Amino acid sequence: MKAGFNLLLWTTHVTDALLPQLEQLKAAGYDGVEVPIFQGDAAQYRRLARQLGDIGLASTVVAIVQDEARNPISADPDHAAAGVDYLKWLVDCSVALGAEVLCGPFYQPLAQFSGTGPSAAEWARLVASQRAMAEHARDTGLVLAVEPLNRFECYALNTAEAAARLVAEVDVPGYGWTYDSFHANIEERDPAGVIADHGDGIRHVHISENDRGIPGRGHVDFAPVFAALAQRGYDGWLTVEAFGHALPDIAAATKVWRPLFDSEESVYREALALIRAGGAK
């Protein structure tokens, strides 16, 4: 398994100013970083790929749907079409970066709710838009790993069962789903058991604590999660996802408005120790 660190702890857009932190993550022992792609173009991400290569870090990508005008499951045909174009743009930027995995809730805007689960029409648009994205990425080597979120952040995809169903209906090689310990802790009655029940399609893993702070300091039971992944033969990324309150937009989206850790260094060092110990066991 490979250890990664999600850069949303620091930024939504990686620039040269973050290079010292990237070097610190490499020195700490991380294999790669998870790069947020919220803006920019392919040329910029090709440049970042060279910088990461010089440091010795591989990469994955995290992305979201940022607004209703690019909502792939919208009932508005123009918005839905723009959403599919946006998903293809995410693929193109991720390929330019040389990323191994593109993960995230790239199916609806965050914190948008209908008062119920996805309708049959919305589910059909969800499958169609994700299939278009997957077909666009098919021959690139990029793995897509759609991420179900808890019911307080979205309504279109909340559980491992729903994610597995989506993967089966998209039915394109290289398309799978992300297991996130934070969301599973909220939505699943048996957070580790769903890995055994629905884990065939897991292509990426987020290691995240129940309060989104330092993994290992909360009540998420990581030992059975690691064991279930090992039993599944999972050997991909274990990427740490923690959030602070320094970035207003991210703090608002993740509902983080109080300090969750003493220092950023304590987050990435303790999380890496947890991953390495879990992997060894």
Side-chain angles (χ1 to χ4, degrees), residues 3-205:
F5 197 90
N6 189 312
L7 299 180
L8 285 173
L9 181 63
W10 289 288
T11 187
T12 59
H13 185 59
V14 179
T15 66
D16 290 354
L18 199 65
L19 291 178
Q21 281 82 7
L22 299 179
E23 292 169 349
Q24 289 167 11
L25 290 171
K26 176 62 179 178
Y30 281 90
D31 302 299
V33 291
E34 193 145 280
V35 176
I37 292 185
F38 289 16
Q39 63 188 84
D41 57 30
Q44 176 182 348
Y45 290 108
R46 280 192 289 270
R47 178 173 180 269
L48 179 57
R50 293 191 294 271
Q51 292 173 315
L52 291 175
D54 290 341
I55 296 171
L57 290 169
S59 65
T60 60
V61 167
V62 62
I64 63 173
V65 173
Q66 299 183 52
D67 51 63
E68 176 59 28
R70 293 176 288 182
N71 181 359
I73 66 170
S74 174
D76 184 311
D78 292 336
H79 291 179
V84 171
D85 289 342
Y86 173 71
L87 297 181
K88 293 178 179 180
W89 173 81
L90 289 175
V91 169
D92 293 342
C93 289
S94 299
V95 171
L97 179 64
E100 297 181 16
V101 179
L102 166 55
C103 74
F106 38 71
Y107 43 83
Q108 70 153 96
L110 298 180
Q112 183 184 88
F113 302 98
S114 66
T116 185
S119 66
E122 285 175 319
W123 183 265
R125 290 192 291 270
L126 173 60
V127 173
S129 60
Q130 295 294 296
R131 184 180 294 130
M133 183 188 193
E135 290 289 359
H136 189 68
R138 179 191 280 265
D139 297 321
T140 66
L142 178 69
V143 171
L144 303 182
V146 68
E147 181 177 0
L149 303 187
N150 69 79
R151 79 194 80 166
F152 306 106
E153 296 184 38
C154 80
Y155 72 96
L157 197 69
N158 300 128
T159 66
E161 182 178 11
R165 175 190 168 195
L166 177 60
V167 170
E169 293 187 22
V170 169
D171 193 25
V172 175
Y175 184 88
W177 65 280
T178 296
Y179 176 89
D180 185 300
S181 57
F182 169 82
H183 298 295
N185 179 66
I186 295 172
E187 289 297 332
E188 309 295 352
R189 292 173 181 167
D190 183 354
V194 297
I195 297 173
D197 294 340
H198 305 293
D200 279 348
I202 294 176
R203 297 293 178 267
H204 195 55
V205 173

Side-chain angles (χ1 to χ4, degrees), residues 219-264:
H219 68 238
V220 172
D221 191 357
F222 287 102
V225 170
F226 291 136
L229 290 169
Q231 289 170 357
R232 272 286 178 188
Y234 179 81
D235 62 354
W237 287 95
L238 298 177
T239 295
V240 179
E241 190 175 57
F243 297 102
H245 61 285
L247 301 174
D249 289 346
I250 295 299
T254 57
K255 308 300 185 290
V256 174
W257 50 74
R258 67 183 190 274
L260 300 177
F261 41 80
D262 300 327
S263 69
E264 293 159 348

